[in-house]
Amino acid sequence: MTQHLTESDVALIAEYTRIGMTPDEVARMTVDLNAIIDSLSPITEYDLDGVEPTFHPIGTLSNVMREDVVGESFSQQTALENAPKQQDGQFLIPAILSDGGDR
């Protein structure tokens, strides 16, 4: 098996993605990732000279979103009618990053 990635590479990737890994896990992941990369090697055997790259497998796919036009919308009062809590014309929701009080 070819060594595409080293344990140092895998440890740096784990650190970058904020995935905590023990040295044993890094070693096992290095073996697994190198095996995955090796399994993709048959792709290199295709003759792709003259084949234009595509950005999407469905070549003529186009944006199916509607035009962004100004239209009728809710008033602030209507939007807040069913809010369980509100304050100063805004939704009042529980905080998720502190003591849990309303924000």
Side-chain angles (χ1 to χ4, degrees):
M1 177 169 54
T2 306
Q3 182 76 10
H4 302 282
L5 296 171
T6 65
E7 287 186 18
S8 176
D9 294 331
V10 174
L12 286 172
I13 293 168
E15 180 182 343
Y16 180 75
T17 57
R18 300 189 194 293
I19 298 173
M21 296 180 81
T22 65
D24 184 52
E25 290 171 326
V26 169
R28 285 185 286 145
M29 183 62 70
T30 302
V31 171
D32 290 345
L33 288 174
N34 281 309
I36 291 167
I37 293 169
D38 276 342
S39 73
L40 297 173
S41 66
I43 293 172
T44 63
E45 296 171 10
Y46 292 103
D47 179 19
L48 299 177
D49 288 339
V51 176
E52 291 293 319
T54 60
F55 296 102
H56 196 278
I58 304 172
T60 60
L61 184 69
S62 63
N63 188 352
V64 294
M65 301 293 198
R66 65 174 172 79
E67 291 295 319
D68 189 14
V69 293
V70 176
E72 194 174 323
S73 60
F74 296 118
S75 68
Q76 184 176 10
Q77 180 181 354
T78 302
L80 292 170
E81 280 178 356
N82 293 320
K85 293 182 180 181
Q86 54 180 293
Q87 178 181 333
D88 301 325
Q90 300 176 1
F91 293 100
L92 190 62
I93 60 171
I96 59 170
L97 297 177
S98 63
D99 63 359
D102 289 333
R103 300 269 178 202

